[in-house]
Amino acid sequence: VVFVDTEQTFSSNRLAEIAKKRFPEIYDKDHYNDGNNKSISNFGGMDKDAEMRLEKLLAEKVFVVIPQSLQELKVRIENLKPALTQSDAKLIVIDSIARLARAEGAIGGVAGLSSGESLVKRQNILSGIAAALKRHAEQLNVAVVVTNQVTTNTNADSNYLNSNDPAKANMVSRDSRVAAALGTKWAHCVNIRISMSGAIDGKADGKREMRVVKSPRTALSRFLYRITASGCASINID
């Protein structure tokens, strides 16, 4: 896995927790003995040394990249092929694509350029990143997951907001005034878009909502889930 961590929130502890809970039949026993060939088969009784060995084992499977600018992100992604080939990585994660773009816009954009020119330059860089990611995906059979941020949707005439189509109307949530960040040019670069919400109606039951809002393979749909020790867990919709 290649994890591009622009948010700087990657946690090996959380990765180990998910692995233990979701795949106990894999991350068990001989993967991390205590040096005396004594394997640990019960995660509930795992000591600190064993926990550290598990985290190290998983960390070795994740190549973390922390770019400091949007241009650096573009260069790192474009030059990622040797690392992908050598490690036989099958997944690229960028968390998130919006942070660096929005941060550069907030501090005045690109030096020497007007605000309009700076925006165009950022959009071109984002298009280059998208093209490089799609190239890696197609040539190396790598899956790509990119998280985005949200912004206020000021388009009151949105087709979704005013549509009589039940399928589209179903996609309008309580947060219908919220849209994906980075504008339409980035939106057209995305093949599949999934919207993930926080707690529904502010309730403390941990229930969240996931919506497929763009996909060439499936109809618009929604799912309920909770974030648990094993990651995202689906909930049946009554």
Side-chain angles (χ1 to χ4, degrees), residues 1-2 61 83-92 140-143:
V1 177
V2 175
K61 298 178 180 293
L84 292 171
T85 304
Q86 182 178 0
S87 64
D88 195 29
K90 294 302 180 185
L91 174 65
I92 301 173
L140 303 175
N141 194 30
V142 176

Side-chain angles (χ1 to χ4, degrees), residues 3-12 64-69 72 93-97 99-100 103 147 149:
F3 193 99
V4 183
D5 188 20
T6 70
E7 301 281 352
Q8 298 187 32
T9 56
F10 176 79
S11 170
S12 58
V64 180
V65 179
I66 307 178
Q68 300 301 314
S69 70
E72 181 187 349
V93 178
I94 300 181
D95 182 32
S96 69
I97 190 65
R99 183 183 180 278
L100 295 177
T147 69
Q149 297 174 357

Side-chain angles (χ1 to χ4, degrees), residues 23-141:
F23 305 109
E25 71 282 3
I26 297 176
Y27 295 103
D28 201 349
K29 300 181 180 179
D30 297 333
H31 283 280
Y32 19 78
N33 59 59
D34 64 1
N36 297 313
N37 294 321
K38 294 181 179 179
S39 62
I40 299 170
S41 59
N42 185 347
F43 287 116
M46 184 178 287
D47 59 32
K48 291 295 182 181
D49 288 339
E51 290 278 5
M52 292 177 63
R53 286 192 291 273
L54 173 58
E55 289 179 20
K56 181 179 179 181
L57 172 72
L58 292 171
E60 290 173 350
K61 298 178 180 293
V62 181
F63 176 47
V64 180
V65 179
I66 307 178
Q68 300 301 314
S69 70
L70 195 61
Q71 180 61 37
E72 181 187 349
L73 172 59
K74 179 175 179 288
V75 172
R76 298 293 290 269
I77 293 297
E78 289 178 336
N79 296 308
L80 201 55
K81 186 174 181 178
L84 292 171
T85 304
Q86 182 178 0
S87 64
D88 195 29
K90 294 302 180 185
L91 174 65
I92 301 173
V93 178
I94 300 181
D95 182 32
S96 69
I97 190 65
R99 183 183 180 278
L100 295 177
R102 300 181 87 177
E104 290 181 9
I107 61 176
V110 181
L113 299 179
S114 67
S115 59
E117 291 172 329
S118 181
L119 176 60
V120 170
K121 184 173 179 63
R122 287 200 302 273
Q123 292 292 338
N124 288 338
I125 293 175
L126 288 168
S127 294
I129 292 171
L133 289 170
K134 291 187 178 186
R135 185 167 60 251
H136 295 324
E138 293 171 359
Q139 294 179 354
L140 303 175
N141 194 30

